[in-house]
Amino acid sequence: MDDAVYWYAVATVLLFVKMLATGLYQGYHRITKMTFKTPEDARMAGKEPASEELPQVQQASKAWSNDLENIPIFLALGVAYVLVGASPAFAGWLFMAFTAARYAHTLAYLAKLQPWRTIAYGVGLLCMIAMSVLIVMALG
Amino acid sequence: MDDAVYWYAVATVLLFVKMLATGLYQGYHRITKMTFKTPEDARMAGKEPASEELPQVQQASKAWSNDLENIPIFLALGVAYVLVGASPAFAGWLFMAFTAARYAHTLAYLAKLQPWRTIAYGVGLLCMIAMSVLIVMALG
Amino acid sequence: MDDAVYWYAVATVLLFVKMLATGLYQGYHRITKMTFKTPEDARMAGKEPASEELPQVQQASKAWSNDLENIPIFLALGVAYVLVGASPAFAGWLFMAFTAARYAHTLAYLAKLQPWRTIAYGVGLLCMIAMSVLIVMALG
C-alpha cells in the first residue's frame, strides 16, 4: 500500500474518533444535567426546553465549528495529495502533525487555553499550506 | 469497477441530492412567505428584513448542521475505505445504511419526531464506526 | 496523470486558498479593531469581550457557512467523478466553473451584491448537478 494512502487512512480514522468524542462530550453534559434546548428533545426527557445550551456544549460547538472549517478541506487536500502522487516521504509527517494539531486545538478550546488554541490552529494551517505546495509541485 | 467505488459514488450522489432538497425546502419557505433575514435579500424582494428566520428554515438549518458534522467525515472514511481496499462485500451495506439513516434523520428533524431522530443519528454513527474498524483491519 | 485528477487537485488547492483568505479576512478585522467575542481571546488582547462579532466578521461567517454547505459535497462528488472515471473532457470545465462560482459567491456576500450572490450559488449547484449526472452515467 502507498505510504500516503496509509497515513491518509490513519488520519481520517483519528479525526473521526475526535469528532465522535466531541459529540459524546456534548451528549454527556446534556444528559447528566438533563438540559436540552431543542423542544422535542426536552419533551422526550420530560423537561422544559432550556433557553440556551450549557456552557460546555457551547464551547464544544465552537471547537466543532472550527473543525468543520478545517478538517473537510484537509481531507480533500489529502485525497488530492494521494491522487497526484505527491511526496510519500512527507505524507506521514504532515498528516499526523495536522491530526495532532486538531486534537490539541479541541482540548485548548474546551480548557479555554490561549494562546495554545491559536498556535494549534496555526500549525494545522501550516500543514495544509505545505500539502498545497507539494500538490502543486507534483502537478508541475 | 470496484464494488466499494460503485457504492461510494451512489452514496455521494444521494447525499448531494438530500442536501440539495434541504436547500430547496428552505428557499421554498423563504420565497413563498417572502421572509428574508439577510438585509440584501429582503431588499431584493422589496421587503423589510425579518428579525429571525422562519421556523421551517431554522429546523432545516439544524438538520443541515448535523449533516455537516457527519456527512463530510463519512465521505472521507468512504474514500479511505476505497483506497486501502477494505472489504468490498460490506461496502454496499454500510454506505447505503448510512445514507438511509441520514435521510431518516433529516425527515425526523423536520417532523420533530423523537426518539427516531436520535436513532437515525446513532445508526449513522454505527456505520462510521464499522467502516473505521474495517479500514484499520485493512491497514494491519 | 488523469485529466480529472489534475483538475480535482487544482480545484482543491484553490478552494483551500479561498477558505484561508476568508479566515485571514476575519482575523484581520478582529485584530485591527481589537474586537473579540470569545472571552479567552479578549483576555489575551487585554480587552473586555465584545457582545457580538464585527459586521465584517459576521458577513464572512455567513459566506463561510454557505461554503461549508457546498464545498465538502463538491469535493466528494469530485472524488467520485475521478474514481468512477466520468468524462475527463468535462472535468476541467465543471471543476473550474464551480471554483470560480464559489470565489464570486464569497465576494458577492462580502460586498452584499444581490442578485449576484444568488446567481453564483446557482452556478455552483448546476456544476454539481452536472457532475452527478456524469457520475451516474459512468456507473450505468
Side-chain angles (χ1 to χ4, degrees):
Chain A
M1 190 184 302
D2 189 82
D3 256 15
V5 167
Y6 179 91
W7 291 111
Y8 176 75
V10 172
T12 304
V13 170
L14 289 175
L15 291 167
F16 165 62
V17 169
K18 196 189 79 55
M19 291 172 118
L20 186 57
T22 309
L24 292 175
Y25 175 86
Q26 291 187 316
Y28 170 80
H29 282 285
R30 283 195 183 113
I31 290 168
T32 56
K33 303 191 174 63
M34 289 297 263
T35 307
F36 303 93
K37 193 180 174 199
T38 300
E40 61 267 31
D41 297 4
R43 198 177 312 127
M44 188 168 52
K47 293 273 175 184
E48 290 296 306
S51 64
E52 56 180 20
E53 296 281 7
L54 293 161
Q56 295 91 340
V57 173
Q58 285 186 34
Q59 201 71 5
S61 290
K62 284 199 267 183
W64 208 330
S65 291
N66 194 275
D67 273 356
L68 297 183
E69 292 175 0
N70 286 275
I71 292 177
I73 192 76
F74 162 76
L75 293 167
L77 286 170
V79 176
Y81 195 102
V82 166
L83 293 178
V84 304
S87 162
F90 282 115
W93 294 104
L94 288 170
F95 298 1
M96 286 305 102
F98 178 88
T99 303
R102 296 310 303 181
Y103 269 82
H105 181 270
T106 297
L107 294 173
Y109 229 135
L110 295 179
K112 304 190 184 187
L113 284 182
Q114 276 290 36
W116 302 109
R117 196 193 84 221
T118 299
I119 291 170
Y121 172 72
V123 170
L125 277 191
L126 287 179
C127 293
M128 291 198 279
I129 292 169
M131 288 165 69
S132 297
V133 171
L134 292 168
I135 290 168
V136 171
M137 281 169 57
L139 288 181
Chain B
M1 188 184 304
D2 188 82
D3 255 16
V5 167
Y6 180 90
W7 290 110
Y8 176 75
V10 172
T12 304
V13 169
L14 289 175
L15 291 168
F16 165 63
V17 169
K18 195 188 79 56
M19 291 172 117
L20 185 58
T22 310
L24 292 174
Y25 176 85
Q26 291 186 317
Y28 170 81
H29 282 285
R30 283 194 183 114
I31 289 168
T32 55
K33 302 191 175 62
M34 289 298 263
T35 306
F36 303 94
K37 192 179 173 199
T38 301
E40 61 267 31
D41 297 4
R43 199 177 311 126
M44 187 166 54
K47 294 273 176 184
E48 290 296 306
S51 65
E52 56 179 20
E53 296 280 7
L54 293 161
Q56 296 90 341
V57 173
Q58 286 187 35
Q59 201 71 5
S61 290
K62 285 198 267 183
W64 208 329
S65 290
N66 194 276
D67 273 355
L68 297 183
E69 292 175 0
N70 286 275
I71 293 177
I73 192 75
F74 161 76
L75 293 167
L77 286 169
V79 176
Y81 194 103
V82 166
L83 293 177
V84 304
S87 162
F90 282 115
W93 294 104
L94 287 171
F95 298 0
M96 286 306 102
F98 178 88
T99 303
R102 297 309 304 182
Y103 269 82
H105 181 270
T106 297
L107 293 173
Y109 229 136
L110 294 179
K112 305 190 183 188
L113 284 182
Q114 278 289 37
W116 302 109
R117 195 193 84 219
T118 299
I119 291 170
Y121 172 72
V123 170
L125 277 191
L126 288 178
C127 293
M128 291 198 280
I129 291 168
M131 288 165 69
S132 298
V133 171
L134 292 169
I135 290 168
V136 170
M137 281 169 57
L139 288 182
Chain C
M1 189 184 302
D2 189 82
D3 256 16
V5 167
Y6 180 90
W7 291 111
Y8 176 74
V10 172
T12 304
V13 170
L14 289 175
L15 291 168
F16 165 62
V17 169
K18 196 189 79 55
M19 291 172 118
L20 186 58
T22 309
L24 292 175
Y25 176 86
Q26 291 187 317
Y28 170 83
H29 282 285
R30 283 194 183 113
I31 289 168
T32 55
K33 302 191 175 64
M34 289 296 264
T35 306
F36 303 93
K37 193 180 174 198
T38 302
E40 61 268 31
D41 297 4
R43 199 177 312 126
M44 187 167 53
K47 294 274 175 183
E48 290 296 307
S51 64
E52 56 179 20
E53 297 280 8
L54 293 161
Q56 295 90 342
V57 173
Q58 285 187 35
Q59 201 71 7
S61 290
K62 284 198 267 182
W64 209 329
S65 291
N66 194 275
D67 273 354
L68 296 183
E69 292 174 1
N70 287 275
I71 293 178
I73 192 75
F74 161 76
L75 293 167
L77 286 170
V79 176
Y81 194 103
V82 165
L83 293 178
V84 304
S87 162
F90 283 115
W93 293 104
L94 287 171
F95 298 1
M96 286 305 102
F98 178 88
T99 302
R102 296 311 303 182
Y103 268 82
H105 181 270
T106 297
L107 293 173
Y109 228 136
L110 295 179
K112 305 189 182 186
L113 284 181
Q114 277 288 37
W116 302 109
R117 195 192 84 221
T118 299
I119 291 170
Y121 172 73
V123 170
L125 277 190
L126 288 178
C127 293
M128 291 198 280
I129 292 168
M131 289 165 69
S132 298
V133 170
L134 292 168
I135 290 167
V136 171
M137 281 168 57
L139 288 181

